[in-house]
Amino acid sequence: MSDMSVVVSNSLFLSAVLFTIGVLGVMIRRHPVIIFMCIELMLNAANLALVAFNDYHYSKAWPALDGQVYAFMVIAIAAAEVAVGLAIIVALFKRRERVDVDEINLLRG
Amino acid sequence: MSQPVITLQQISYLGPVLVIVLTVLVLLMTDVICRLRPSRQGLSLLTGFGVALGGSIVALVYSIFLWHRLTVLKVGKLAELFPVNGPPRSVSAMETSPVWSSGTLVVDYFAVFVCLLVCGVLILVCFNFKPYLRINKLHRSELFPLLLLSASGMMLLSMSRDLLSTFISIEIVSLPLYVLCGLNERSRANQESSLKYFLLGAFGSGFFIYGASLVYGAVGHMNYAAIAYFAKHSLESSSILMIGLALVGAGLAFKLALVPFHAWVPDVYQGAPTPVTAFMAAGVKLAVFAAALRLVLEAFPLMDLSFWRGSISLLAALSMVVGNLLALHQMSAKRLLAYSAIAHTGYIAVGLASGLSTSATSILIYLVGYALAGLGAFTLISYLAPDGQDDIYLDEMHELSKRAPVSALAFAILMLSMAGFPLTLGFVGKLMVFSDAWRAGLYGLVIFAVLNSVISVYYYLRFILAMYMQPKAPGAAELVLKRMPGTYILTGIITVVLTLLLGVIPHMLIAWAQSCQLAGL
């Protein structure tokens, strides 16, 4: 991939960084909402990569916008995940004052 | 590029999915209309159950009809929906004409067979839910729609032939399940299970879609046909494609609960309402393995297989040994079945690693055996569980054979099937999966898997011995036996009879599963 434009390769680099931040955040942070934000970061890294790769694949001979359409699909899925996830976290908040994944430890063994 | 046209007939081949989705809409709308009444009561449990059951049975019949049509027309596949075509851009500048074409969804023998199985699982889970909701006083009219939506995702998953549609189908399966796990808002265990499942499930999805985006970057498409084509024609091996597929594999491994992506399974299985656990164990495993099979058999065959074989074998071996060792000393029946589910995922992954064209047959038979045993066992657990506990422990099961001989016998048979004893379907499944792997030359892995199934006999027998041989310790808690609800009896009979019947005479099932070839590209 030597013919990649600077914009595309920079975007890909950024998306890799975002994805790494997301993965590390999920592993390190303890608050469910922050963990969830990190997961969203991972999905957005994928979106950025999709759009950048679309630009890389786009040509006069094959003017397809697949990657950008895929990104919209991923956005829609992420929105559905937010709806379900925040509802679950709010339901937990209702029963306890603090929500911390270290304290959610009824099930173990 | 020709404009893709989708005919009504092609859409009719999606029938089972459409029937289920239509049932969901009917259930949701009637619930809303019911709430307009002065009493403001939602749809009653019985009506919801009836409509959901009716919808699943219609979908089952529709799948049988599709199967019949496939055999009558003597074609490998009925339809390729939403076709895409074209050369992957990165192959070479020379080839500019469309040289491959493939549907995003394909309705072939394999997909229809999985649809059939999903409908069967759905019916049995509906049976389980009716008494469960009544006994636990949960009046949730949104339950059946969520259950059916999840099942429709499972059917789509078996048809997906594209990383994006696989991703969307996985989400359709998972999102309703996250909610279903937290069904009872009064139960802390339910909520905890729901949160853990959600966070780790979404984490897995993140891996999957990032991997898919890298595959798109390398290939220019997400279609399996394009991936296979690219792997065949591309001159340089693409590291981006490899990393992308590895991340996709990690995402699938999260959903399948292969070690080291298994951390959520025990907590989620134990904390979720028992019928939901049964649905996860039977249905989700079935559907995600169907997707993994399609990915491995359609997108990988032209690639350097040894690398993939090696990594899948490693995950399989780890899952078997970790699942079995952690299951050895579990006291809770649900937690035991959760760890054994990890081990079973490992056994099935052995079949996946062999990657032969017959793997689909053996894996499907294994999954049928596992689904029947799992559904039956979880049904008995939800029957025997004391009020508000939703689980049974080993020390409560002593002398159960004297107090509830039929339930104890059924539980024993299902445990033996999970352990892979001869004359049960579990044995047939294990035999076929392992002999496939043997033919593929994975001798070490097969020996390791057989040793592991010997270990697993220990913890299944521990429960059986507790029921039959061991006297009750003085002062130990005793299960209060209630009258068994009719639908539990029905589920129990269906699962036990099928486990034994298909274990003794598996020819018909094997013949069916043998015709379940993937349509190919």
Side-chain angles (χ1 to χ4, degrees), chain B residues 281-306:
Chain B
V284 176
K285 196 150 280 188
L286 173 71
V288 181
F289 260 114
L293 254 176
R294 210 183 264 288
L295 179 67
V296 168
L297 293 182
E298 291 197 342
F300 288 5
L302 303 168
M303 282 182 211
D304 175 23
L305 204 63
S306 58

Side-chain angles (χ1 to χ4, degrees), chain B residues 4 28 37 49 87 175 251 272 295 297 305 315 330 384 454 466 471 512:
Chain B
L28 288 174
R37 291 179 307 184
F49 167 71
L175 287 176
L295 179 67
L297 293 182
L305 204 63
L315 290 184
Q330 291 305 323
L384 293 170
V454 175
W512 274 359

Side-chain angles (χ1 to χ4, degrees), chain A residues 1 15-16 19 23 26 35-36 39 42-43 45-46 49-50 53-54 56-57 62 66-67 70 73-74 77 80-81 84-85 88-89 91-92 95-96 104-109, chain B residues 85-87 89-90 164 167-168 171 175 178-179 185-186 188-189 191-192 194-196 198-199 202-203 205-207 209-210 213-214 216-217 220-222 267 270-271 335 339:
Chain A
M1 304 213 170
S15 100
F19 184 74
V23 173
V26 171
I35 293 178
F36 187 43
I39 292 170
M42 290 164 70
L43 294 181
L50 282 171
F53 278 128
N54 190 89
Y56 165 64
H57 286 304
W62 198 259
D66 292 14
Y70 293 159
M73 303 265 187
V74 178
I77 294 282
E81 245 172 27
V84 170
I88 290 172
I89 295 169
L92 258 164
R95 292 178 48 98
R96 3 183 151 205
I104 304 172
N105 53 9
L106 188 67
L107 303 165
R108 56 168 71 192
Chain B
N85 55 9
R89 180 190 177 279
S90 358
L164 189 76
F167 174 67
I168 293 174
E171 290 297 312
L175 287 176
Y178 301 148
V179 183
E185 81 275 18
R186 294 186 298 274
R188 289 184 87 122
Q191 287 197 336
E192 192 173 322
S194 172
L195 182 76
K196 284 180 175 167
F198 168 71
L199 286 180
F203 191 44
S205 307
F207 276 103
I209 194 62
Y210 192 70
S213 75
L214 292 185
Y216 170 74
H221 283 278
M222 283 197 190
D267 291 353
Q270 192 187 10
R335 213 169 171 85
Y339 280 115

Side-chain angles (χ1 to χ4, degrees), chain B residues 65-114:
Chain B
F65 163 73
L66 286 183
W67 181 272
H68 176 70
R69 214 168 151 69
L70 273 166
T71 43
V72 167
L73 293 178
K74 290 196 172 56
V75 287
K77 59 195 168 201
L78 283 173
E80 298 239 16
L81 292 118
F82 315 113
V84 285
N85 55 9
R89 180 190 177 279
S90 358
V91 173
S92 68
M94 290 180 293
E95 298 171 83
T96 42
S97 61
V99 284
W100 60 269
S101 164
S102 164
T104 303
L105 298 177
V106 62
V107 186
D108 56 3
Y109 274 109
F110 180 74
V112 174
F113 193 71
V114 174

Side-chain angles (χ1 to χ4, degrees), chain B residues 151-459:
Chain B
S152 75
M154 292 174 186
M155 295 178 183
L156 282 174
L157 199 50
S158 67
M159 302 175 182
S160 299
R161 205 185 227 185
D162 185 290
L163 287 175
L164 189 76
S165 60
T166 307
F167 174 67
I168 293 174
S169 310
I170 287 181
E171 290 297 312
I172 299 176
V173 173
S174 305
L175 287 176
L177 272 177
Y178 301 148
V179 183
L180 280 176
C181 282
L183 185 65
N184 185 352
E185 81 275 18
R186 294 186 298 274
S187 151
R188 289 184 87 122
N190 272 197
Q191 287 197 336
E192 192 173 322
S193 142
S194 172
L195 182 76
K196 284 180 175 167
Y197 192 25
F198 168 71
L199 286 180
L200 285 158
F203 191 44
S205 307
F207 276 103
F208 189 96
I209 194 62
Y210 192 70
S213 75
L214 292 185
V215 171
Y216 170 74
V219 174
H221 283 278
M222 283 197 190
N223 202 287
Y224 295 169
I227 299 172
Y229 180 90
F230 177 80
K232 189 179 175 191
H233 293 271
S234 168
L235 298 174
E236 86 268 39
S237 69
S238 164
S239 54
I240 290 197
L241 178 65
M242 285 296 164
I243 296 170
L245 283 175
L247 285 173
V248 166
L252 282 176
F254 257 107
K255 300 286 170 187
L256 288 174
L258 281 165
V259 176
F261 308 103
H262 68 290
W264 55 276
V265 179
D267 291 353
V268 172
Y269 274 37
Q270 192 187 10
T274 313
V276 179
T277 314
F279 190 57
M280 283 195 282
V284 176
K285 196 150 280 188
L286 173 71
V288 181
F289 260 114
L293 254 176
R294 210 183 264 288
L295 179 67
V296 168
L297 293 182
E298 291 197 342
F300 288 5
L302 303 168
M303 282 182 211
D304 175 23
L305 204 63
S306 58
F307 174 66
W308 296 109
R309 232 179 219 172
S311 32
I312 297 176
S313 302
L314 182 68
L315 290 184
L318 277 176
S319 309
M320 287 187 287
V321 71
V322 171
N324 279 328
L325 289 183
L326 289 176
L328 285 179
H329 291 291
Q330 291 305 323
M331 298 300 281
S332 140
K334 273 168 94 177
R335 213 169 171 85
L336 172 100
L337 287 177
Y339 280 115
S340 91
I342 298 173
H344 280 283
T345 313
Y347 301 136
I348 306 173
V350 171
L352 206 59
S354 57
L356 302 175
S357 55
T358 51
S359 300
T361 311
S362 19
I363 288 182
L364 279 177
I365 288 178
Y366 195 108
L367 284 166
V368 174
Y370 179 70
L372 284 172
L375 280 172
F378 282 116
T379 308
L380 287 166
I381 290 173
S382 46
Y383 160 61
L384 293 170
D387 284 338
Q389 186 180 311
D390 206 14
D391 196 357
I392 43 176
Y393 292 90
L394 186 65
D395 47 4
E396 295 168 338
M397 294 180 84
H398 292 312
E399 289 187 348
L400 197 66
S401 62
K402 294 202 185 96
R403 300 173 52 230
V406 182
S407 302
L409 182 67
F411 200 72
I413 291 172
L414 296 168
M415 288 291 114
L416 287 177
S417 172
M418 280 210 180
F421 262 59
L423 298 186
T424 58
L425 191 52
F427 173 72
V428 181
K430 275 210 174 73
L431 185 69
M432 295 193 65
V433 166
F434 293 167
S435 59
D436 257 4
W438 190 269
R439 269 189 291 130
L442 301 166
Y443 306 117
L445 190 62
V446 173
I447 292 168
F448 191 70
V450 172
L451 285 178
N452 261 292
S453 18
V454 175
I455 298 177
S456 77
V457 171
Y458 169 77
Y459 56 80

